Amino acid sequence: MNKRLSAILLFSVFLAACSAGHWLFEFFYNRLDERSSRQMQAFADFTPQQEASIDAAATAWLSWHRREELPEYQAFLADIDGILAREDPVDQALLNNWLNRAERASDRLLHCHPLPRLTAVFRQLDDEQLSQIRRHLDDEMQEALYEYRERDEDERFQRLRKWFGRINWKLNESHEQRLRQFWDERRSMTEYSFALGERWNGQFMGLLQQRSHAEFEQRLRELWNQLGHQLQREYP
């Protein structure tokens, strides 16, 4: 199964989860700004003024997402629900349409992420905060690698199959085969994503060393956009 189909399947699973547990999704979604802010503030010991800037950026991001993106998700989900309810055939043209819509949503999400909007906060970083950010990135990467290498992939796959049953998504033999192919491919892509993540972290820290440069804001945005397209370039 090609990478485009993998992306479609993954996004479809996400949409199905939203539909099956909409109240839970709403609970967590309405707190995304708080979660995003806490995650960014965990990178270092920021000053109260810096924390306020991070909070404001995260709140503005969620407001934009709720206003502009949620209606798109709702329409996408309604289309998928209708097709599944009617048991319409899913051909390559339909899959390509789903993928293009998912990719456009991903691009918009990346473009409007709050991190590139924190130029003023990054310019104010002192050397100790910079060291804290470096340690945080390294620790996160090591923890993620450890969890990835320790988990039982077969057990996780069986849990995924059971989850489809809980949301009343009946899988035929063809679906089972595609799901297994997707799962195996996702695992091979994860190995590369860690390597790409380490590369990007190094570039990010190198850019922060030049935070006083006049073109720092533009370079930060370019680096952030590059993060979103690295995997796509590696897997055309």
Side-chain angles (χ1 to χ4, degrees), residues 164-225:
F164 273 98
R166 289 199 296 271
I167 64 172
N168 297 320
W169 192 335
K170 297 180 180 179
L171 300 176
N172 58 32
E173 184 177 351
S174 176
H175 294 154
E176 289 269 2
Q177 292 175 352
R178 287 190 173 187
L179 187 62
R180 169 57 76 176
Q181 288 175 331
F182 158 73
W183 192 260
D184 293 341
E185 189 171 81
R186 179 205 57 85
R187 180 173 175 82
S188 67
M189 291 177 67
T190 301
E191 293 283 355
Y192 283 98
S193 70
F194 280 121
L196 293 174
E198 288 182 337
R199 184 196 310 169
W200 190 89
N201 286 348
Q203 293 172 329
F204 178 59
M205 292 308 305
L207 183 59
L208 289 184
Q209 294 284 0
Q210 306 172 30
R211 57 193 180 280
S212 61
H213 196 282
E215 298 180 358
F216 171 74
E217 182 173 1
Q218 178 61 28
R219 292 178 179 178
L220 176 62
R221 183 165 294 283
E222 290 174 354
L223 182 62
W224 180 252
N225 290 335

Side-chain angles (χ1 to χ4, degrees), residues 14-233:
F14 165 74
L15 289 174
C18 296
S19 178
H22 60 88
W23 63 271
L24 188 62
F25 173 76
E26 181 178 356
F27 175 84
F28 285 105
Y29 179 83
N30 289 331
R31 288 158 180 78
L32 273 180
D33 55 341
E34 298 175 11
R35 180 175 176 81
S36 298
S37 182
R38 287 198 303 270
Q39 287 179 333
M40 288 187 284
Q41 291 181 24
F43 276 55
D45 295 328
F46 294 104
T47 67
Q49 293 79 9
Q50 290 170 334
E51 290 180 349
S53 296
I54 294 172
D55 287 339
T59 299
W61 172 77
L62 182 59
S63 296
W64 162 82
H65 194 273
R66 182 183 291 113
R67 181 180 64 254
E68 301 293 337
E69 295 301 288
L70 275 187
E72 295 288 336
Y73 292 174
Q74 183 180 24
F76 197 177
L77 181 58
D79 289 347
I80 294 176
D81 280 345
I83 290 170
L84 294 178
R86 296 189 302 270
E87 299 184 354
D88 292 346
V90 179
D91 57 18
Q92 190 61 47
L94 179 60
L95 291 176
N96 286 337
N97 176 268
W98 285 2
L99 177 64
N100 290 333
R101 294 173 71 173
E103 286 181 340
R104 288 196 298 270
S106 177
D107 288 343
R108 292 192 300 269
L109 192 63
L110 181 72
H111 179 73
C112 294
H113 193 276
L115 189 144
R117 303 173 186 273
L118 296 175
T119 305
V121 172
F122 291 135
R123 287 188 184 278
Q124 299 167 2
L125 295 175
D126 57 33
D127 290 342
E128 176 58 27
Q129 289 175 317
L130 206 62
S131 297
Q132 291 172 349
I133 291 175
R134 180 182 293 107
R135 289 195 297 270
H136 181 86
L137 290 174
D138 290 344
D139 290 346
E140 273 199 337
M141 182 63 69
Q142 292 304 315
E143 181 179 352
L145 275 169
Y146 176 79
E147 291 180 355
Y148 167 70
R149 290 168 177 167
E150 289 295 314
R151 64 193 184 191
D152 188 325
E153 289 296 320
D154 287 335
E155 179 183 350
R156 289 171 61 86
F157 177 74
Q158 295 304 321
R159 287 165 55 189
L160 178 63
R161 291 180 67 253
K162 292 179 180 178
W163 178 83
F164 273 98
R166 289 199 296 271
I167 64 172
N168 297 320
W169 192 335
K170 297 180 180 179
L171 300 176
N172 58 32
E173 184 177 351
S174 176
H175 294 154
E176 289 269 2
Q177 292 175 352
R178 287 190 173 187
L179 187 62
R180 169 57 76 176
Q181 288 175 331
F182 158 73
W183 192 260
D184 293 341
E185 189 171 81
R186 179 205 57 85
R187 180 173 175 82
S188 67
M189 291 177 67
T190 301
E191 293 283 355
Y192 283 98
S193 70
F194 280 121
L196 293 174
E198 288 182 337
R199 184 196 310 169
W200 190 89
N201 286 348
Q203 293 172 329
F204 178 59
M205 292 308 305
L207 183 59
L208 289 184
Q209 294 284 0
Q210 306 172 30
R211 57 193 180 280
S212 61
H213 196 282
E215 298 180 358
F216 171 74
E217 182 173 1
Q218 178 61 28
R219 292 178 179 178
L220 176 62
R221 183 165 294 283
E222 290 174 354
L223 182 62
W224 180 252
N225 290 335
Q226 175 186 333
L227 174 64
H229 299 294
Q230 277 183 330
L231 274 176
Q232 185 175 352
R233 289 197 302 269

